Amino acid sequence: MTVLCTEARFSLADPAALLRALCEHLVEHHATVSEREGATLIVLDGSKAVLRLAKQELLARVEAPNLAGLQAMKLAIASHVVELAPAGSAPAIGWQGDGSGPSLLPDFRVLTVTDTETLTPHMRRIRFYGEDLARFDTLEALHVRLFIPPAGLAEPAWPVLSEDGLITQPPAEQRPAVRKYTIREIDVAAGTLAIDFVLHGDTGPGSTFAERARAGDRIGMAGPGGRGLRDAERYLFLADETGLPAIARMLANLPSAARGLAVIEVANAQEEQVLQAPAGVTVRWLHRHQAESDAAPQLLAAFEALDWEQDGPSLYVWAAMEHEAFRQLRSATRQRLRPDLDQHLIVSYWRNGLSEEQHALEKKAAARAG
Ligand SMILES: Cc1cc2nc3c(=O)[nH]c(=O)nc-3n(C[C@H](O)[C@H](O)[C@H](O)COP(=O)(O)OP(=O)(O)OC[C@H]3O[C@@H](n4cnc5c(N)ncnc54)[C@H](O)[C@@H]3O)c2cc1C
């Protein structure tokens, strides 16, 4: 097998301390770390890094079966060396070998709009063409980060992996907005995928892009991420329109014997879609309350009204919705379901009144506060 290889030397006051911290950190990212012939071997997603200590230096050799693996390992090593070096003492980094010179990020693809389809008054499907999409064709990780360039830019600018192995962003005025969306359909052989965008009428870059998209427009995509479908005997899906694309994709891919319930809240009957699902899975549509603004979120009420068998290891719960509904549902599920994080995914997909950037900052602050 052809192996690509690159090397770097990092000047550090205490290379041993940094190596220890680096290993601890990468283990949290599911790397395996071992000692071999006086060197430290780190293996991550099929790529390996051999790290040796020298006087006030850390020597790194990265080997990978392909360029994407090589760049991913370079990024993992270089970014953590910079992050873990004592404040003000991050070393200058230069890599010698394969894959030198700036490149797109290893998991980044440029997508070109091929066509659009109005599914409902507030849901637009956009189909894209992209190269080398195999890594995105998985039901275990359904969402991607879309990089949406500012409107009116003649040539989109993307983040790149620089010669030092670190990410360089385009200048602020050209920098794409990053938004999370779900792959609704994908055909790797044809190089095509579809994403369903909620048109929420606000000025967010995601919704605005979807309103205006035309064949030939380009955006970037990285990922995939998140948690998707799990094997189970029974399923419970709960979502508003933003989680509908993920539920639709999961339902279409369930085994024919699967049993369960999908409860989907949309604005009104015009926003319902025809979904492909096994006969044993019921799809129930809820129409959003408009009159009673202080009524409990409908998804929460539907969850509380469920008359079902005892929760057990055979049940998988997947729920995604607006933040306030998510908060109330999560608290209700804590009372009714076993605390089995692996079998329950309950997440906030957007927050009323906050942009994605503001929402992400709030989530980080809440996680820090415990
Ligand atoms: C993992 C994941 C997967 C997702 N998949 C999808 C998907 O497949 N399709 C999809 O449409 N969305 C999806 N979302 C939700 C989407 O990322 C958010 O709605 C996002 O905020 C949209 O970005 P924007 O640029 O349009 O608006 P932002 O700039 O983020 O927000 C601008 C304003 O619009 C409001 N707003 C944002 N979203 C909505 C909405 N849906 N309805 C009403 N007001 C809104 C905000 O509260 C804010 O006031 C997903 C989110 C996550 C976390």
Side-chain angles (χ1 to χ4, degrees):
M1 181 180 25
T2 319
V3 173
L4 300 176
C5 167
T6 182
E7 294 183 342
R9 315 172 77 95
F10 307 102
S11 292
L12 295 158
D14 188 350
L18 193 132
L19 179 58
R20 265 195 312 278
L22 177 70
C23 292
E24 278 168 22
H25 207 85
L26 290 180
V27 163
E28 285 171 20
H29 291 274
H30 309 295
T32 55
V33 176
S34 56
E35 297 298 318
R36 210 180 56 181
E37 295 164 10
T40 302
L41 175 67
I42 298 175
V43 179
L44 183 60
D45 294 333
S47 301
K48 71 178 183 184
V50 181
L51 296 151
R52 286 177 203 280
L53 294 170
K55 198 166 167 240
Q56 306 222 298
E57 274 190 327
L58 181 64
L59 314 180
R61 177 183 170 86
V62 170
E63 292 177 11
N66 53 45
L67 191 57
L70 190 83
Q71 304 295 49
M73 185 60 104
K74 265 168 68 177
L75 176 60
I77 301 287
S79 61
H80 286 106
V81 166
V82 169
E83 187 186 319
L84 298 169
S89 68
I93 302 174
W95 293 90
Q96 303 285 327
D98 295 317
S100 57
S103 63
L104 291 176
L105 304 184
D107 66 344
F108 186 93
R109 305 289 183 274
V110 176
L111 299 179
T112 305
V113 174
T114 56
D115 63 290
T116 66
E117 182 184 348
T118 300
L119 297 180
T120 68
H122 290 101
M123 185 74 91
R124 193 166 195 214
R125 175 162 300 168
I126 304 189
R127 291 192 183 81
F128 299 91
Y129 174 79
E131 306 259 322
D132 195 13
L133 298 178
R135 66 177 285 122
F136 298 92
D137 187 13
T138 168
L139 290 167
E140 284 170 20
L142 300 175
H143 77 251
V144 289
R145 283 176 298 134
L146 297 184
F147 293 68
I148 303 166
L153 212 59
E155 190 56 33
W158 313 117
V160 291
L161 197 70
S162 304
E163 288 185 37
D164 56 8
L166 299 170
I167 296 173
T168 303
Q169 295 290 349
E173 65 283 5
Q174 297 174 20
R175 196 168 300 166
V178 181
R179 292 289 180 272
K180 288 184 182 150
Y181 281 87
T182 306
I183 294 183
R184 173 68 179 85
E185 291 169 0
I186 180 163
D187 180 340
V188 176
T192 56
L193 59 84
I195 293 180
D196 293 351
F197 291 78
V198 175
L199 306 179
H200 55 78
D202 268 296
T203 50
S207 181
T208 307
F209 164 78
E211 293 254 13
R212 299 181 186 167
R214 288 158 180 255
D217 287 353
R218 277 172 294 164
I219 61 171
M221 171 176 78
R227 184 158 17 120
L229 199 53
R230 289 282 157 94
D231 283 341
E233 285 166 25
R234 288 182 300 135
Y235 292 87
L236 173 62
F237 300 101
L238 297 152
D240 64 15
E241 296 89 337
T242 58
L244 166 55
I247 292 185
R249 184 163 167 213
M250 288 189 279
L251 290 181
N253 284 283
L254 281 175
S256 56
R259 292 185 298 133
L261 173 67
V263 185
I264 304 162
E265 182 184 299
V266 291
N268 51 46
Q270 287 179 295
E271 295 298 328
E272 293 182 14
Q273 297 180 25
V274 177
L275 303 182
Q276 183 195 332
V281 179
T282 305
V283 177
R284 186 186 303 162
W285 296 93
L286 302 176
H287 300 155
R288 194 162 293 125
H289 273 290
Q290 271 155 5
E292 303 166 58
S293 57
D294 58 351
Q298 296 215 45
L299 288 166
L300 174 67
F303 175 75
E304 288 186 324
L306 281 178
D307 177 17
W308 57 355
E309 300 156 46
Q310 194 77 20
D311 178 27
S314 57
L315 174 71
Y316 183 55
V317 180
W318 189 99
M321 59 203 68
E322 197 281 325
H323 184 81
E324 186 51 31
F326 146 78
R327 227 177 39 77
Q328 296 186 30
L329 181 75
R330 185 181 53 180
S331 134
T333 54
R334 277 187 185 142
Q335 291 158 25
R336 264 189 97 172
L337 302 179
R338 294 163 313 118
D340 182 347
L341 292 178
D342 213 43
Q343 285 298 95
H344 307 146
L345 182 80
I346 299 161
V347 280
S348 164
Y349 262 21
W350 62 285
R351 184 156 185 176
N352 204 2
L354 297 186
S355 69
E356 168 61 23
E357 289 85 357
Q358 296 164 325
H359 184 204
L361 283 177
E362 291 244 329
K363 281 200 262 192
K364 263 193 200 149
R368 269 200 304 274

